[in-house]
Amino acid sequence: MGFNIAGTDKKRIVIIGGGFGGLKLANRLKGSNFQIVLIDKNNYHQFPPLLYQVASSGLESSSISFPFRKIFQKRKDFFFRLAEVQAVVREKNLILTSIGELKYDYLIIASGTVTNFFGNEVIEKQTLPMKTIEEALILRNTLLSNFEKATICTDPQEKQALMNVVIVGGGATGVEISGVLAEMKHFVLPKDYPDLKQSEMNIYLVEGSPHLLAAMSEEASDNAKRFLEGMGVKVMLQKKVVDYKDDKVILDDDSSIETKTVVWV
Ligand SMILES: Cc1cc2nc3c(=O)[nH]c(=O)nc-3n(C[C@H](O)[C@H](O)[C@H](O)COP(=O)(O)OP(=O)(O)OC[C@H]3O[C@@H](n4cnc5c(N)ncnc54)[C@H](O)[C@@H]3O)c2cc1C
């Protein structure tokens, strides 16, 4: 086990993470006078802009994941290693990983970010983030299994909690997932779940600031709100989620929404 990488006279560049940044750099370094080692904890590159399609069953995960070994076929003095990087020892030019240690001459850290739960452990444990293919598939399975449970549920309150979806965060991802779930409600639910009433599925999009898509123009923000509301999404601005317990999302004005599906984006 270990890295088992052939010795070379060239300087070694280690890239941690084959996401957008790491992959672009590795491609740019093609033909350079360096040995390249790309390390990722997955053996595939993923394309996050279409994660919402995987979460809503519109696309299979294989359509947005690309094996590194296929991308880098025939590259000379290039090594991919499947490993999780655990620490960097800068004074020794060394990284510690799940498959052992590796020396580098230059180190590029392109390991992306993690979802911010603002330190709330309950929310972290019980809500569904959507940054990776794995998380998108968990969300897809949760939605579908909740619909299945709703078809046989005889308790109206429990059924409503199964049919309500709360999306927290009105940035690009929150807007995309709300929109695609509204499409699912209108076009998939009536065909695939004829026992469920379309009107029973509620999609709430909760955003703390006064605007959706706060990083974009006011026009884009207003249009997004108008389109989503036109599709039946309940857009709630200037409301913050403070807790999630007993299948209830608690807002900062002390109101609550019953749901078994909270998407944290
Ligand atoms: C749902 C969603 C939709 C998005 N839509 C868009 C869009 O439409 N347009 C746009 O421009 N941007 C979009 N983004 C943002 C975009 O995906 C990120 O800005 C971009 O992926 C960041 O690139 P990165 O290389 O820094 O990190 P990432 O692409 O996240 O890559 C990080 C890589 O590092 C690996 N890694 C992490 N930790 C370790 C470790 N310890 N050891 C080994 N490997 C590790 C991961 O497996 C991953 O492959 C979206 C993001 C999300 C979540």
Side-chain angles (χ1 to χ4, degrees):
M1 280 286 279
F3 276 85
N4 192 21
I5 286 173
T8 173
D9 294 338
K10 294 176 188 167
K11 298 250 184 206
R12 175 184 292 159
I13 298 180
V14 172
I15 304 173
I16 306 173
F20 278 4
L23 191 68
K24 181 94 180 169
L25 177 69
N27 279 326
R28 283 285 182 92
L29 288 169
K30 190 175 178 185
S32 69
N33 202 26
F34 293 100
Q35 180 185 68
I36 312 294
V37 181
L38 173 67
I39 303 173
D40 202 292
K41 59 186 177 181
N42 295 313
N43 65 350
Y44 56 84
H45 168 78
Q46 64 170 14
F47 187 70
L50 289 175
L51 279 175
Y52 77 101
Q53 287 283 353
V54 171
S56 60
S57 318
L59 279 179
E60 288 312 319
S61 56
S62 55
S63 304
I64 66 160
S65 53
F66 309 92
F68 289 120
R69 291 196 176 276
K70 191 164 173 63
I71 297 171
F72 293 106
Q73 276 173 0
K74 297 187 187 157
R75 269 283 289 270
K76 290 211 176 71
D77 225 352
F78 177 95
F79 299 86
F80 169 73
R81 289 294 179 265
L82 178 66
E84 180 150 8
V85 177
Q86 293 153 342
V88 177
V89 187
R90 279 185 65 185
E91 52 285 7
K92 292 187 182 165
N93 277 22
L94 186 74
I95 53 166
L96 309 181
T97 82
S98 53
I99 60 165
E101 304 176 354
L102 183 69
K103 283 267 204 186
Y104 61 83
D105 292 297
Y106 300 98
L107 180 67
I108 312 294
I109 302 177
S111 51
T113 58
V114 290
T115 300
N116 186 358
F117 294 95
F118 300 98
N120 188 322
E121 284 177 19
V122 177
I123 286 180
E124 181 168 355
K125 277 199 192 113
Q126 299 194 14
T127 64
L128 302 164
M130 204 187 65
K131 268 206 192 313
T132 63
I133 287 180
E134 206 180 346
E135 290 168 351
L137 287 172
I138 292 173
L139 176 52
R140 175 201 285 207
N141 291 339
T142 304
L143 288 165
L144 298 181
S145 86
N146 283 350
F147 289 152
E148 293 297 342
K149 287 178 192 158
T151 57
I152 53 167
C153 183
T154 49
D155 175 340
Q157 197 178 350
E158 166 123 16
K159 185 171 183 184
Q160 195 56 69
L162 286 161
M163 298 288 289
N164 286 348
V165 181
V166 176
I167 295 136
V168 189
T173 303
V175 166
E176 280 169 352
I177 190 77
S178 308
V180 82
L181 290 181
E183 285 179 354
M184 201 176 181
K185 168 178 170 170
H186 293 297
F187 304 114
V188 178
L189 205 70
K191 283 194 221 154
D192 287 7
Y193 295 88
D195 306 339
L196 296 173
K197 285 198 196 110
Q198 218 185 78
S199 58
E200 282 175 334
M201 181 179 178
N202 293 309
I203 301 155
Y204 297 87
L205 176 58
V206 184
E207 164 59 39
S209 82
H211 303 285
L212 295 179
L213 303 178
M216 298 183 193
S217 68
E218 209 168 304
E219 189 188 1
S221 164
D222 292 344
N223 283 341
K225 182 168 182 286
R226 191 162 42 82
F227 283 126
L228 287 178
E229 286 179 338
M231 294 163 87
V233 176
K234 297 175 195 300
V235 179
M236 303 171 77
L237 298 176
Q238 291 182 286
K239 301 257 187 259
K240 288 200 173 96
V241 170
V242 292
D243 209 349
Y244 179 45
K245 57 183 174 196
D246 304 328
D247 292 341
K248 279 194 190 77
V249 166
I250 317 289
L251 302 174
D252 56 353
D253 59 3
D254 286 336
S255 63
S256 64
I257 308 166
E258 302 252 4
T259 182
K260 287 184 186 284
T261 316
V262 182
V263 187
W264 190 265
V265 285

